[in-house]
Amino acid sequence: MVFRDKKGIGVGQVFVFIVAALSFALILMFGYRAISGFLKSGEDVAFVQFKTGLESDIKKIYTEFGSVRVERYSTPVTYTQVCFVDLDKPYDPELCQSDQVACSVWEVASTSGKGYDGVDENVFLTPPAPVKIKVYKISVEEEEDGKNFLCIPIKQGAFSMVMEGRGDKTLLSELPSEG
């Protein structure tokens, strides 16, 4: 007759459960990190696609005098607003209500006397973008309020605007609201 120690079997099972739990925890931890990295990479790619598309569209249309295009841009969903500033126009402190970063950059461009050539960006996202965005010279359609900047809300990661080639710059305006 063979006698088995039942206490030894219990200890062995506990050890197996501990190893299984640790393995499960490690797989969860590394899986979470991998998925987070993929999501971050996806947002980075979306931002780069937005930035290069915007820069190339504005540069392409400025020489096509009279051409008008309506463009839709997709951004990562973290952004809520985009502002375009005509840095060659006089500084307007009213922009500070919409975007503090854009306001301070425009003030620097204005006080330096260099305008567009005096700063590294003329497109501003809220929250601020990880990289500065500077498109070719732009002009903003001046309405009765006389603003020289255009701030467009970004809804569900997208916004649309109207671009018109002026030969030496691109005229930007907000898409007229429907209804």
Side-chain angles (χ1 to χ4, degrees), residues 27 32 37 43 45 60 87 108 137 144 147 152 155 162:
I27 290 170
Y32 176 77
E43 286 181 8
V45 168
K60 185 175 14 172
L87 297 169
V108 167
K137 290 189 176 189
E144 60 279 351
K147 293 180 184 174
I152 302 172
K155 296 177 182 163
V162 179

Side-chain angles (χ1 to χ4, degrees), residues 72-157:
R72 181 173 173 83
Y73 295 97
S74 296
T75 66
V77 294
T78 55
Y79 298 109
T80 59
Q81 175 179 267
V82 61
C83 289
F84 299 88
V85 181
D86 183 353
L87 297 169
D88 290 328
K89 296 288 171 101
Y91 168 71
D92 184 355
E94 188 178 332
L95 176 60
C96 296
Q97 297 171 5
S98 298
D99 191 316
Q100 281 294 134
V101 175
C103 181
S104 62
V105 169
W106 194 6
E107 186 176 20
V108 167
S110 183
T111 56
S112 73
K114 295 179 181 177
Y116 173 83
D117 297 322
V119 293
D120 295 335
E121 59 187 322
N122 60 354
V123 178
F124 305 89
L125 290 166
T126 304
V131 181
K132 294 179 180 182
I133 304 173
K134 186 172 186 180
V135 296
Y136 193 75
K137 290 189 176 189
I138 56 175
S139 179
V140 176
E141 186 170 70
E142 293 183 34
E143 298 172 6
E144 60 279 351
D145 56 11
K147 293 180 184 174
N148 292 308
F149 62 91
L150 174 64
C151 291
I152 302 172
I154 299 173
K155 296 177 182 163
Q156 297 175 345

